[in-house]
């Protein structure tokens, strides 16, 4: 069920579902790579520090919401390798129900 939902979201990119990349100048906090690790054939993980938000253990595909520090922005981890962490900023255009 999850894989079916994910494939549908991928085909509807830009139709109000999932991550929406940001365009133009954006106000994002400073980020710093604290370290990374690769064990065997598993995905590489990294420690990413986001100023004001904390330190996160991230891998490719992770999304970090910055609402806690007063920004309506999401940082998406695009790639983690020995050269660093590549991120993309934008928004997640989803409705979340909390009960």
């Amino acid at each position: 069920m999850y894989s079916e939902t994910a494939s549908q979201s991928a085909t509807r990119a830009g139709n109000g579902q999932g991550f929406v990349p940001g365009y133009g100048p954006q106000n994002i906090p400073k980020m710093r790579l604290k370290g990374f690790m690769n064990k065997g054939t598993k995905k590489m993980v990294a420690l990413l520090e986001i100023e004001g938000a904390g330190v996160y253990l991230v891998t490719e595909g992770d999304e970090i919401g910055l609402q806690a520090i007063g920004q309506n922005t999401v940082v998406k981890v695009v790639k983690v390798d020995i050269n660093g962490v590549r991120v993309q900023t934008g928004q997640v255009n989803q409705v979340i129900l909390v009960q």
Side-chain angles (χ1 to χ4, degrees):
M1 185 166 138
Y2 176 76
S3 62
E4 181 64 26
T5 303
S7 66
Q8 287 176 0
S9 293
T11 60
R12 289 185 279 174
N15 288 343
Q17 299 291 323
F19 181 81
V20 179
Y23 298 100
Q26 297 177 14
N27 184 19
I28 59 170
K30 292 181 182 179
M31 294 181 224
R32 180 176 302 132
L33 176 63
K34 303 292 278 184
F36 60 90
M37 179 180 77
N38 185 11
K39 185 175 181 179
T41 60
K42 295 184 179 181
K43 287 184 176 180
M44 187 172 283
V45 295
L47 285 174
L48 180 65
E49 180 180 13
I50 301 176
E51 188 175 86
V55 178
Y56 297 87
L57 183 65
V58 298
T59 188
E60 289 181 27
D62 287 351
E63 296 175 355
I64 303 167
L66 301 180
Q67 290 80 10
I69 60 172
Q71 295 188 10
N72 189 23
T73 304
V74 174
V75 174
K76 181 175 184 176
V77 179
V78 177
K79 186 166 182 96
V80 178
D81 62 21
I82 60 171
N83 296 318
V85 177
R86 180 175 295 179
V87 299
Q88 182 178 23
T89 60
Q91 296 178 344
V92 173
N93 197 13
Q94 296 177 334
V95 175
I96 300 170
L97 175 63
V98 180
Q99 296 180 331

